[in-house]
Amino acid sequence: MKRFTVVLPETRSITLEARGRADEALRVVRWAGALILVLVVGLVGVKAEVALEDLWRVRLPSVVALEFAVDTELGRQTVQTFGTVIDEKGTVIFPAQTINARLALNQLKDFRFYRPGDSEHSLPATYLGHDEFTGWEFARVTNPADAAGLTPITTFGQAPAPAIAQQLWGIGLRKKDEGFAPYFLSERVAIVQSLPRPTALVAREVTGTGLPVFDLQGRFVGLGVSGFGQAKLQFSARDRGGLPIVLIDPDECAAVLLASEIVPYLNRVPTNQAGRPMVWLGAAGLQPLEPAVADYLGLKGRSALVVGDVLENSPAAAAGLMARDVLVALDGAPLPAIKPDRMLVNFVQQEVDRRLPGEVMRLGVLRDGQARTITATLTDAPSLPREMPRRYFETLGVTVRGFAYVDGAARQVPVANHGGVIVNFLQLGRPAALAGLHSDDWIRSINGRPVADFAAAVAALAEFEE
């Protein structure tokens, strides 16, 4: 029997016994080589962890801080948020909740981008509009040359869906008074769910809201989304039982919309600031089917939604959909099993939003126990409140806007009775507020005279103000 001494990288040796046969000696050499390979891979792994800071720095140009002004009745206000670069033109997406839905498009002014860590030099930008399906707002550098210093998120490749306990990392940005300083965040995946779009929830904040998340190889995993705050109890001397509250950090988030739900839709750049075309179906008040009702209808174990209402003059109404119809399929495919059940409503809405006016949507429903298919041709949605004309009357301290279709739908008013104006803003201490007006009040007459539309209301208010 012969002995072989193998010297390992850690300057130590081990002695192996062999029986003199060439094949056994070869196995020993292979074993030693494999052991060395493991050690080398381990050393490379250590280097990869050290290189994480380099990955982070290379990916910083894919994010920007965004600032814009809002011209309100009380003066100009500044809004700050963060965004992710999506193409070579310097187009940036940022969260929809950044822009108040009550604002008119002409109130948004002076968009600017800032690179991470530089709050002194800005890049003039242009607001492009809103996309209803993705929920993103879009803006782009005004000067094409400024796009050279920005890196699209697609440059880094798309990572597969993350696994439970997988380590992810992301980028955070401080606000302007801290120089938009970038910082590193990292956490492991807790669970991946369909909400209804595939979303990874991590143990704690992993990125800034609307900013990218990466894996340890630096590949793009997804974008941070807000709205997943931690529920806690607040105790006080007056309420010893505990008052439930929700804490949401607006600048960081622990939920990640996966890249598979982002990359395919980066081309949905609006062609106008209003985000038109914007399709609608008109099936309102959708609710998950109660288990007992599902059993009665023979739908046990299947996903279904009950139609609460069908809006007047909508594609759903024109197609013959009715309240209390049970929706079980879209375009021939059963509704997916999504938990919690209420997320099915979001799924149906997204299936509508991803389409264009003129496209056909086939709805599989149960009515009076009978299955039938209803074919609806989608159309452009009625004008939204932000698209309606408005005017501020400074002496009265009130802004009124035109009456939108959704105003009538919310009040369950027939289209034939739509008219008048809606109170969009009230200034405290001014005559309108002192007289008892409230935001969202529906003004139908002024000084006893009916106002049929926005023009009539403006004429009456202007006369009164003079």
Side-chain angles (χ1 to χ4, degrees):
M1 183 177 296
K2 298 181 179 179
R3 296 179 181 272
F4 292 85
T5 300
V6 179
V7 179
L8 300 177
E10 299 176 356
T11 67
R12 60 187 178 89
S13 63
I14 59 174
T15 302
L16 307 174
E17 292 187 354
R19 300 188 180 277
R21 293 200 299 260
D23 56 341
E24 292 186 0
L26 182 59
R27 279 200 297 271
V28 170
V29 173
R30 287 176 176 171
W31 180 89
L35 183 57
I36 294 173
L37 179 61
V38 170
L39 292 171
V40 170
V41 170
L43 292 174
V44 171
V46 172
K47 291 181 180 179
E49 292 181 2
V50 173
L52 196 56
E53 181 180 358
D54 295 332
L55 291 177
W56 179 72
R57 293 188 184 281
V58 170
R59 280 144 185 77
L60 279 182
S62 68
V63 305
V64 297
L66 173 65
E67 183 180 70
F68 62 92
V70 178
D71 283 341
T72 73
E73 290 83 350
L74 301 179
R76 175 163 287 201
Q77 299 176 355
T78 300
V79 178
Q80 296 173 16
T81 188
F82 311 123
T84 297
V85 183
I86 64 169
D87 62 24
E88 301 288 348
K89 298 178 181 179
T91 307
V92 168
I93 55 176
F94 59 100
Q97 61 265 31
T98 304
I99 297 179
N100 191 323
R102 300 177 68 90
L103 295 173
L105 295 174
N106 60 10
Q107 290 181 271
L108 308 177
K109 307 286 186 180
D110 196 22
F111 279 76
R112 294 182 174 277
F113 296 158
Y114 292 85
R115 294 186 176 91
D118 184 1
S119 60
E120 300 296 328
H121 305 92
S122 64
L123 308 176
T126 302
Y127 175 61
L128 301 180
H130 171 79
D131 177 60
E132 193 68 18
F133 170 66
T134 60
W136 300 329
E137 305 286 350
F138 290 74
R140 178 181 291 160
V141 290
T142 304
N143 182 1
D146 288 337
L150 305 177
T151 304
I153 194 63
T154 52
T155 302
F156 309 116
Q158 180 177 332
I164 300 297
Q166 180 177 339
Q167 191 81 25
L168 303 179
W169 63 275
I171 301 169
L173 293 176
R174 308 303 292 177
K175 287 298 181 64
K176 189 174 186 178
D177 57 356
E178 297 180 70
F180 294 128
Y183 57 97
F184 178 86
L185 290 162
S186 182
E187 191 47 82
R188 294 185 181 274
V189 176
I191 189 173
V192 178
Q193 289 183 295
S194 292
L195 299 173
R197 302 167 74 182
T199 304
L201 304 180
V202 295
R204 56 185 176 183
E205 289 76 10
V206 72
T207 190
T209 301
L211 297 184
V213 174
F214 305 94
D215 62 14
L216 294 182
Q217 287 73 48
R219 296 173 297 183
F220 176 53
V221 172
L223 290 177
V225 291
S226 63
F228 296 82
Q230 297 178 338
K232 299 191 176 183
L233 288 178
Q234 176 176 273
F235 294 89
S236 67
R238 230 174 9 179
D239 182 13
R240 297 183 181 277
L243 176 66
I245 58 174
V246 175
L247 304 177
I248 300 178
D249 189 328
D251 297 329
E252 297 176 1
C253 49
V256 182
L257 181 65
L258 299 187
S260 60
E261 286 295 310
I262 296 171
V263 175
Y265 307 113
L266 294 179
N267 60 351
R268 294 181 64 96
V269 180
T271 57
N272 57 79
Q273 291 186 346
R276 296 286 173 177
M278 187 185 304
V279 298
W280 73 316
L281 176 61
L286 296 176
Q287 294 290 334
L289 199 62
E290 294 291 337
V293 179
D295 291 348
Y296 175 77
L297 295 175
L299 295 174
K300 185 175 182 178
R302 293 183 58 184
S303 298
L305 294 170
V306 180
V307 178
D309 191 17
V310 177
L311 300 181
E312 187 180 0
N313 292 353
S314 68
L321 189 69
M322 299 177 64
R324 294 186 295 280
D325 280 349
V326 179
L327 179 64
V328 296
L330 290 179
D331 293 328
L335 295 183
I338 299 176
K339 297 296 181 182
D341 292 340
R342 64 180 181 275
M343 291 301 175
L344 266 179
V345 179
N346 294 345
F347 169 80
V348 173
Q349 185 59 54
Q350 287 180 349
E351 287 302 303
V352 174
D353 291 338
R354 72 168 70 242
R355 302 167 192 245
L356 294 172
E359 292 190 31
V360 170
M361 197 170 193
R362 292 183 294 117
L363 311 175
V365 303
L366 290 179
R367 181 184 300 168
D368 298 327
Q370 301 295 317
R372 62 181 67 199
T373 299
I374 294 176
T375 302
T377 301
L378 303 177
T379 62
D380 203 10
S383 296
L384 297 176
R386 67 173 180 238
E387 300 175 88
M388 303 304 293
R390 61 189 65 197
R391 179 167 168 179
Y392 176 55
F393 295 90
E394 185 174 3
T395 301
L396 295 173
V398 63
T399 297
V400 297
R401 63 165 174 80
F403 190 91
Y405 180 93
V406 295
D407 297 317
R411 294 167 172 80
Q412 297 184 329
V413 176
V415 172
N417 295 335
H418 287 191
V421 290
I422 299 294
V423 176
N424 193 73
F425 170 81
L426 278 171
Q427 187 172 350
L428 297 179
R430 292 295 180 90
L434 295 174
L437 274 179
H438 294 83
S439 291
D440 292 323
D441 273 353
W442 179 16
I443 300 177
R444 305 180 65 182
S445 65
I446 298 174
N447 282 340
R449 292 182 297 176
V451 287
D453 52 25
F454 177 75
V458 165
L461 289 172
E463 178 183 344
F464 180 80
E465 191 169 50
E466 290 175 1

